[in-house]
Amino acid sequence: MRIVVLVSGTGSNLQAVIDAVKAGELDVDLAAVGADRSGTYGVERSAAAGIPTFVVDFKAYSDRSAWNAALTEAVAAYRPDVVVSSGFMRIVSADFIDVFGGRYLNTHPALLPAFPGAHGVRDALAYGVKVTGCTVHWADAGVDTGPIIAQEAVPVAETDTEETLHERIKAAERRLLVSTLRSLAAAPQSPN
Ligand code: GRF
C-alpha cells in the first residue's frame, strides 16, 4: 500500500508512521510527504528520514481552486493508494475528493462528530466534557466529516490545559493512525 502523508506542522503523528515502518511493524510504502507551506518540521523530519517531500504553498496561489488543483497533481504524481491528512490544516475541495475520495484518511483530535474544526481540543475542554479522544476517518470535502474508521477515548483531567490534553490525545492518535494503516494494508478497504 503506497501512502502520501500531508502535514502542516510538526508531524509527530507522521513520525509514528515513519518509526513503525522502520521498525518493520507497519508494511506500507511511504511514497512522499507533502505540506501546504514551507519550513514545516514535518517535511524536515521526512527529508531526514530519506522520504521524498513536496510543498504546495497555499500562499503562492491566487485562489483556493488553483492551489487545490496543484495539490491534487502533486499528490497524484506519487500514485498513492491512500492519502493521509495528518495535522494537515487545509480543507481540500471537491476536485481533490473526485480523485482521492474514499482513500483520503484524516486524523482528528476529538471524538467526531463532536468538536470538528481546527480547535477540537480547545472546544472540548471549553464545553466541559469528561471524555474526549481522537478519530481516524475517511475524509470528504467537509470539515472533519466522512465515515469513521476508528476512535480512541481519552479522559479529561481536572487540571488539563489545552496543551496537556492535546499531548495525551496525540499519544492515542499515533497508536490509532498506525493501527488503522496496519489494518488497511492487511485488508485494503474504503467506502467506495
Ligand atoms: C494532531 O492532533 C492532528 O489531529 C491535529 O493537529 C495535530 C497535529 O500534530 N489536527 P502533529 O503535526 O502530528 O504533531
Side-chain angles (χ1 to χ4, degrees), residues 3-7 17 82-88 103-107 177 181:
I3 66 170
V4 168
V5 181
L6 300 177
V7 296
V17 174
V82 171
V83 183
V84 181
S85 157
S86 178
F88 188 58
R103 50 201 182 100
Y104 183 42
L105 203 74
N106 182 43
T107 74
L177 177 58
L181 288 172

Side-chain angles (χ1 to χ4, degrees), residues 45-164:
R45 64 167 99 219
S46 308
I51 300 162
T53 63
F54 61 90
V55 175
V56 183
D57 192 339
F58 189 79
K59 292 200 187 112
Y61 292 84
S62 53
D63 58 36
R64 173 170 290 278
S65 111
W67 172 79
N68 197 85
L71 179 73
T72 305
E73 194 181 323
V75 172
Y78 291 96
R79 295 175 291 103
D81 298 305
V82 171
V83 183
V84 181
S85 157
S86 178
F88 188 58
M89 305 306 280
R90 301 264 174 210
I91 304 301
V92 295
S93 73
D95 296 353
F96 184 94
I97 297 300
D98 281 348
V99 178
F100 299 111
R103 50 201 182 100
Y104 183 42
L105 203 74
N106 182 43
T107 74
H108 182 72
L111 294 175
L112 293 172
F115 308 116
H119 304 294
V121 180
R122 187 187 306 171
D123 294 346
L125 201 56
Y127 196 92
V129 295
K130 302 303 175 201
V131 177
T132 182
C134 54
T135 303
V136 175
H137 67 106
W138 293 117
D140 56 26
V143 178
D144 299 317
T145 53
I148 290 171
I149 304 170
Q151 293 184 305
E152 186 171 325
V154 174
V156 180
E158 288 286 327
T159 52
D160 264 332
T161 62
E162 183 180 351
E163 289 70 32
T164 60

Side-chain angles (χ1 to χ4, degrees), residues 9-14 86-89 107-109 166 169-170 173:
T10 58
S12 62
N13 287 338
L14 161 68
S86 178
F88 188 58
M89 305 306 280
T107 74
H108 182 72
H166 200 171
I169 291 173
K170 278 168 73 162
E173 242 183 318

Side-chain angles (χ1 to χ4, degrees), residues 1 26-28 180-189:
M1 186 170 86
L26 177 61
D27 185 16
V28 301
T180 300
L181 288 172
R182 192 180 292 126
S183 303
L184 290 174
Q189 52 161 308

